[in-house]
Amino acid sequence: MQNHRQRIKPHLAGNHHLERLAKPYLIWLYIFACFPVIIMFCLMFVDTEGIKFQNMQFTMANFGILGARGTLIAFWNSLKYSLITTILCIFFGYLLAYSLYKSKIKNKYLVLLLLILPMWTNVILRINALASIFLPQNILVDLFHLPGLNILGTGWAILLGMVFTYLPFIVLPIYTSLEKIDPSLEEAALDLGVTNFIKFWKVIVPLSVKGLVSGSMMVLLPCISGFAIPKVLGSGNIPMIGYEIEQNFITMSYNQGAVLAIILLIVILGSILLINTLDKEGETLI
């Protein structure tokens, strides 16, 4: 017992040392992440010019933007396109992850790395590259003599842009959950005489639901809150809540922009809480 305690002490000391190293990051996080949220929360309840707090007055009029027709349309468009994108990403993401899981490739993680490699590049660059492809005359038309899409500024451009941008976010969590499934469970299901489809639907899918939910949230949340895709690919023609928040801050309507941002933040935090409830160990999160 004494030897066991002696082996544990260095491990605990190492953890304590790592916690000390993490303190500067936590301080940085509190200052540059939490402090702006506090400022936005205060701006919700005051009437000011810009972010100047001189001669500010308490008001609840800023919440009137939540009932405005433009805001309701933006919320509806964000929810509609985000849900469609999430459904498409679930289908194609699960298909990719399951195909890789069942493949005989030796270095599967290298293939997985290639699939999620777009996540490491700047999202603005990717979106602008898509915007050029969605024009009637583009590099694909010149090289392969393909017909131009000419969908820039439409809902199709936003939908395709979201699927292309956020599909890698769902592949990795699903594949991680599939890798944790005990192969003997599949063998037992086949021994009981079920078909491959029934095995997939009754065994594989329920055991991978954590990764499916985690990946779905990782697609849904940035789709709802993002502003770059509606602005660049949608050309601002289709109002979405992220784009509306950006426009409020650009026009210095900080009070109304803060209301929309805080409401959206509450939705995101609630979704993260749901993920933590379903996957307490964080096994499937990136």
Side-chain angles (χ1 to χ4, degrees):
M1 181 65 69
Q2 185 176 0
N3 293 334
H4 179 67
R5 291 177 179 175
Q6 289 176 352
R7 289 195 298 268
I8 292 177
K9 286 182 179 180
H11 176 70
L12 296 177
N15 288 341
H16 181 68
H17 182 65
L18 292 176
E19 290 177 0
R20 292 175 59 185
L21 292 176
K23 286 184 179 180
Y25 169 76
L26 293 175
I27 295 173
W28 180 277
L29 178 65
Y30 291 145
I31 294 176
F32 292 100
C34 297
F35 185 70
V37 173
I38 295 173
I39 295 296
M40 284 196 301
F41 185 81
C42 296
L43 287 172
M44 293 170 58
F45 301 98
V46 296
D47 181 17
T48 62
E49 294 183 4
I51 55 175
K52 297 180 180 179
F53 287 94
Q54 292 88 353
N55 301 321
M56 65 178 181
Q57 296 179 353
F58 176 81
T59 180
M60 297 293 290
N62 296 324
F63 288 88
I65 192 174
L66 296 177
R69 184 174 182 272
T71 303
L72 296 177
I73 293 176
F75 270 116
W76 167 248
N77 286 335
S78 297
L79 183 61
K80 178 177 66 175
Y81 284 101
S82 299
L83 288 176
I84 295 175
T85 300
T86 304
I87 292 172
L88 291 175
C89 285
I90 288 174
F91 176 77
F92 291 109
Y94 207 106
L95 182 63
L96 284 171
Y98 188 74
S99 299
L100 181 60
Y101 168 67
K102 284 297 184 181
S103 68
K104 302 299 183 181
I105 300 175
K106 292 182 179 180
N107 199 342
K108 295 182 180 180
Y109 282 99
L110 179 60
V111 178
L112 188 63
L113 177 64
L114 295 175
L115 289 175
I116 66 175
L117 193 62
M119 294 171 58
W120 297 359
T121 60
N122 188 283
V123 65
I124 301 298
L125 294 178
R126 282 182 281 147
I127 292 172
N128 279 284
L130 281 176
S132 65
I133 294 176
F134 291 161
L135 292 172
Q137 297 296 326
N138 55 67
I139 188 173
L140 297 181
V141 174
D142 296 335
L143 291 176
F144 304 105
H145 303 288
L146 298 174
L149 293 177
N150 194 24
I151 59 173
L152 190 65
T154 66
W156 286 108
I158 293 177
L159 189 60
L160 289 175
M162 284 183 170
V163 172
F164 175 81
T165 302
Y166 299 115
L167 181 60
F169 285 74
I170 200 172
V171 175
L172 183 56
I174 293 177
Y175 179 79
T176 303
S177 62
L178 290 173
E179 276 289 305
K180 295 180 181 296
I181 298 176
D182 189 350
S184 62
L185 296 176
E186 298 184 54
E187 296 174 2
L190 294 175
D191 291 340
L192 292 174
V194 301
T195 62
N196 286 325
F197 178 78
I198 297 297
K199 179 202 69 175
F200 171 78
W201 189 250
K202 295 291 186 179
V203 178
I204 303 297
V205 173
L207 292 176
S208 61
V209 70
K210 285 186 178 181
L212 190 61
V213 173
S214 299
S216 299
M217 289 298 177
M218 294 173 68
V219 172
L220 182 66
L221 297 183
C223 284
I224 292 177
S225 59
F227 71 90
I229 293 178
K231 182 176 182 178
V232 178
L233 299 182
S235 302
N237 297 332
I238 300 176
M240 298 181 70
I241 195 61
Y243 178 71
E244 291 296 313
I245 293 173
E246 188 228 11
Q247 290 301 306
N248 274 284
F249 279 92
I250 288 178
T251 58
M252 298 184 67
S253 300
Y254 296 120
N255 306 99
Q256 294 182 341
V259 172
L260 297 177
I262 292 297
I263 294 298
L264 194 59
L265 180 62
I266 293 174
V267 174
I268 292 174
L269 292 177
S271 302
I272 293 175
L273 180 62
L274 175 62
I275 294 176
N276 291 335
T277 302
L278 294 173
D279 190 7
K280 296 180 181 179
E281 297 83 10
E283 296 177 347
T284 57
L285 294 178
I286 293 178

